[in-house]
Amino acid sequence: MFVPCDHGGLSATSDFKGFTLLMPAVSVGNVGQLAIDLVISTLDMTKVGYFYTDCLVPMVGNNPYATAEENSVELSINAEVYSLPSKKLVVLQIRSPFIKNKYRPFCQTLLSWVKSSKCARVVLLSSSHAYQRDDEQLLGTPLRYLLTPDLEKAVGGLMQELNWKEMEKVAAYPGINDTEKVLHIPGGGITKRLFTESCSKGIQMAVLLKFCSEGDNIPDAFALVNYLNEWLQLIKSASDNSTDTSSQWKIPSSWRLLFGNGLPPALF
């Protein structure tokens, strides 16, 4: 459930009518979460509350978007909500993994909140294992999208204009029965469940994902957030002739510790 900050100026029943909810899946390489970090940091979004749930591993830490010593001591937890009313954008950032067997109750709670808060649509940033692509998925861009039927009616034509590739369905039983196709997103965490439940509940949802591998996934995060920006136009590119906005995104201060501290000199 949504719990507002003391300073957020919202009530627990506040709505985000007409807003786009942007959120990550906890998926391979944490690409969606890194991309969300770039959005929050660049747009200087205000934290308005928390998403209280027992489905995520508990955690607490310092402010990941600290810009000065004064705000670096603010605490952050595993699921927080940020808002930017000028762009009708609300963001849910998830910072810890799911507890085993908690995907279903989390999806149900989240979609219930989406309906009660009157969000217009949900955009889920995700990723999938690059090594598990089929032959068709090896061709062209590593970026893919999915739209629920309700959102397809509204923006399907735009996706065609952008020349985006829809996530391909794969054979349910490869080599045995290649005619039966299913949606398969290995390494995608809650992506498939949240998407299929949104389809059945009539919720407008888009999934944007990138095929990748574990490692240094910062380039993947930039690729995914640029992909998002082609559609939502959150920031403008430096050049009118380019859609690449990589240099425009503000890297949060917490990324300095993305790979931990350096090696202690005493080792050498």
Side-chain angles (χ1 to χ4, degrees), residues 11-249:
S11 68
T13 56
S14 290
D15 65 49
F16 295 103
K17 187 174 182 179
F19 279 53
T20 294
L21 171 62
L22 183 62
M23 62 171 290
V26 182
S27 53
V28 57
N30 304 103
V31 176
Q33 293 157 289
L34 292 172
I36 293 291
D37 265 355
L38 290 170
V39 171
I40 294 171
S41 180
T42 303
L43 299 180
D44 194 22
M45 299 183 73
T46 302
K47 180 161 69 175
V48 294
Y50 310 92
F51 192 76
Y52 179 75
T53 173
D54 63 355
C55 300
L56 297 168
V57 174
M59 62 80 59
V60 65
N62 286 352
N63 179 7
Y65 312 115
T67 53
E69 190 173 343
E70 291 75 30
N71 64 4
S72 64
V73 293
E74 293 176 7
L75 295 181
S76 62
I77 62 169
N78 54 9
E80 297 185 320
V81 180
Y82 298 78
S83 176
L84 187 62
S86 62
K87 290 189 178 288
K88 289 265 186 179
L89 183 68
V90 58
V91 170
L92 169 64
Q93 176 62 303
I94 299 174
R95 297 195 178 95
S96 68
F98 283 87
I99 294 171
K100 188 176 181 181
N101 299 325
K102 289 288 189 175
Y103 279 4
R104 183 186 293 276
F106 178 83
C107 290
Q108 291 172 343
T109 304
L110 176 73
L111 295 180
S112 175
W113 175 57
V114 168
K115 285 194 169 185
S116 65
S117 62
K118 303 175 185 175
C119 287
R121 61 189 176 187
V122 182
V123 180
L124 180 69
L125 302 185
S126 184
S127 51
S128 183
H129 284 302
Y131 71 87
Q132 288 194 252
R133 289 175 289 176
D134 66 8
D135 291 346
E136 188 179 359
Q137 292 171 337
L138 287 168
L139 301 174
T141 176
L143 295 157
R144 295 291 190 276
Y145 79 92
L146 285 165
L147 300 175
T148 59
D150 288 79
L151 188 56
E152 175 80 43
K153 297 171 187 174
V155 302
L158 176 60
M159 302 311 187
Q160 299 299 320
E161 291 177 22
L162 291 171
N163 292 318
W164 282 13
K165 288 190 74 173
E166 189 173 4
M167 183 68 171
E168 301 88 348
K169 290 187 175 182
V170 300
Y173 307 101
I176 301 173
N177 180 3
D178 293 331
T179 57
E180 185 181 343
K181 302 281 187 176
V182 295
L183 183 62
H184 186 49
I185 309 176
I190 63 168
T191 305
K192 182 178 176 180
R193 178 178 293 277
L194 194 57
F195 178 75
T196 52
E197 289 201 17
S198 296
C199 289
S200 64
K201 293 180 184 293
I203 290 173
Q204 294 193 12
M205 172 177 279
V207 175
L208 309 187
L209 67 82
K210 187 178 187 297
F211 294 116
C212 65
S213 303
E214 293 280 4
D216 179 359
N217 295 104
I218 291 176
D220 298 309
F222 274 105
L224 187 59
V225 78
N226 282 332
Y227 189 55
L228 169 72
N229 197 61
E230 284 183 39
W231 172 25
L232 295 187
Q233 297 290 298
L234 299 176
I235 64 172
K236 292 183 179 180
S237 60
S239 168
D240 293 336
N241 300 322
S242 172
T243 58
D244 185 14
T245 53
S246 297
S247 62
Q248 308 293 107
W249 298 105

